[in-house]
Amino acid sequence: MRNPALPQSSAPYADALTAHAREPWLRLNVPGHAADPEAFADLAAFTGEDQLRLDVPPLLDGVDLGADSPRAKALRLAAEAWGARRTWFLTNGASQGNRIAVMALRSLGECLVVQRSVHSSVVDGLVLSGLRAAFVQPGVDRTLGIAHGVTAQDLATALAENPDAAAACVVTPSYFGAVADVRALADAAHAAGVPLVVDEAWGAHFGFHPELPRNALALGADLVISSTHKLGGSLTQSAMLHLGDGPFADRLEPVLERVFQLTQSTSESALLLGSLDLTRRRLATGTDALGRSLRAAELVREQIRDRGRFAVVGDGFAEFPDIVAADPLRIPVDTRAGGIPGHEARWRLMTEHQVLVEVATDSAVVAVVGAGSAPDVARFVAALHALPVTVPPGRGPERPELPVPGEMRMTAREAFFAPSRSVPAHEAVGQVSASTLAAYPPGIPNVLPGEVITAELVAFLQSTAATPGGHVRGASDPEVQNLRTVTPSWSARCSTSCAGSPRRA
């Protein structure tokens, strides 16, 4: 798989695609715009003429086809850069990578030991694969209401309680930049005889600068999902899936390839693929640019500390045993300490200052600095401190508590496909959810298909939805007045008929 003769400074796929686009083709194939900026003037004005020419179909000679094609070379270079045995380019985000991983793990067993605060796409994978989940609860900062990671001891305990586990799945770093001890987690998984899967969506840049944490593959992970478009800087919706060169690789590789073919579009975007090739080159050769980004992020944190109104969430990470490091390109800010809820802060930053941040919870916002970017530090710090005080500084009793997940009575697949109905939210309490709902932060589910809906969950979701800028992903109505639940008679029937399949809350 290695190709040492090809340097990381090259971009074989992007270069071949660019060369192809420069030729005066008479395009009688798809896409239908045929790279004609006159006939499709509105599209050309929207995307730019160069993008029309680069928007080509897959399976082109000289670009995609062949064992030594530019595309194959780009994939080998990516595997080399991240230290993988093999890498796949994805055009439906890291969400696709999570679904591929979980579906492929079905070949190893029937149970997945999984961190409860994983992305909803992992839950999608449970629905698609039918795997039973045994959840490991993450450490939680109850003051701020945010989840972090899991410890190796907790993972080892869960694996010991589930000897039929196919694999262990964790997420690191977290939305807030908390980095787990991947080496210890890998050792725990391997001691139990299973691979470790790491959703490293937020850590695509790890390992490319001495001030950054090492990436999960370098620390013993067997399968890693990388949302390269996040902080890596490729185009939105592009990502990578990396297979480590460990003891499970021979068995996993062929099934991963089959599931990749099952999930990847046959009309994958050349623009997204090309952006992955260029991003790999920039990360592998851009140490100086990364250094500038790291200095900018640290300057923001320093100025926030100096002003004293707000707090930097990462400054408290040392209190948690599940955190061993922090991503320095993440700037998590405790906004309630400065007298404004996180959702409102995010909304006001956008509407009043034209400043966009990545994540908001009731207590915090998270700004991110892309690997290689150089943001206007003064503008962000000034906008943040111009926000009004709308609640008493600190975290008063009015802050909704992060709800503890309800009991898991059905597998995600059973609940997803079971007969269901929409009921008023207050009537849904005690019933089994048929949906995945996520209000904290976008992507991490507060309730899964198969989990019991609690009164605390309903209050949390409705409180989030009522906050300016608040949003509940997966809700059937914006105010979360109704919830979709499994028909009670079906839930009882399934709980009885499936009693031989143990489930963990």
Side-chain angles (χ1 to χ4, degrees), residues 20-217:
H20 177 88
R22 287 176 180 157
E23 294 294 325
W25 300 104
L26 173 61
R27 289 174 57 159
L28 301 176
N29 58 349
V30 297
H33 59 67
D36 186 340
E38 294 182 5
F40 293 83
D42 55 347
L43 186 58
F46 181 70
T47 66
E49 292 185 18
D50 288 343
Q51 282 66 39
L52 282 190
R53 285 188 284 270
L54 289 167
D55 185 26
V56 301
L59 303 180
L60 287 175
D61 289 309
V63 179
D64 301 293
L65 298 178
D68 203 35
S69 67
R71 176 170 178 159
K73 291 176 180 176
L75 289 167
R76 289 197 292 268
L77 281 168
E80 180 182 290
W82 271 271
R85 168 172 170 160
R86 184 173 176 185
T87 291
W88 287 264
F89 285 174
L90 310 176
T91 57
N92 198 24
S95 296
Q96 180 190 1
N98 278 324
R99 296 181 192 113
I100 290 173
V102 178
M103 290 173 71
L105 293 171
R106 185 63 179 80
S107 66
L108 302 182
E110 298 183 357
C111 172
L112 180 65
V113 172
V114 57
Q115 182 173 329
R116 175 56 182 78
S117 54
V118 288
H119 191 265
S120 59
S121 55
V122 175
V123 181
D124 297 341
L126 294 173
V127 171
L128 292 167
S129 68
L131 278 170
R132 173 173 56 85
F135 291 113
V136 185
Q137 299 301 331
V140 175
D141 183 335
R142 292 292 174 190
T143 302
L144 288 173
I146 59 177
H148 295 311
V150 298
T151 65
Q153 181 57 56
D154 286 345
L155 182 64
T157 299
L159 287 167
E161 293 173 353
N162 294 275
D164 61 337
C169 180
V170 300
V171 55
T172 180
S174 72
Y175 274 101
F176 290 81
V179 180
D181 189 346
V182 176
R183 174 67 71 187
L185 292 168
D187 288 345
H190 295 162
V194 300
L196 179 71
V197 180
V198 176
D199 180 355
E200 199 175 41
W202 284 99
H205 54 298
F206 281 12
F208 289 105
H209 191 279
E211 295 179 25
L212 290 170
R214 298 177 70 190
N215 71 35
L217 286 170

Side-chain angles (χ1 to χ4, degrees), residues 331-346:
I331 307 166
V333 181
D334 178 354
T335 60
R336 274 198 173 259
I340 185 168
H343 289 298
E344 183 180 357
R346 180 176 184 264

Side-chain angles (χ1 to χ4, degrees), residues 16 35 102 131 169 229 342 353 416 449 456 463:
V102 178
L131 278 170
C169 180
H229 73 89
H353 300 276
F416 186 90
E456 293 78 13
S463 174

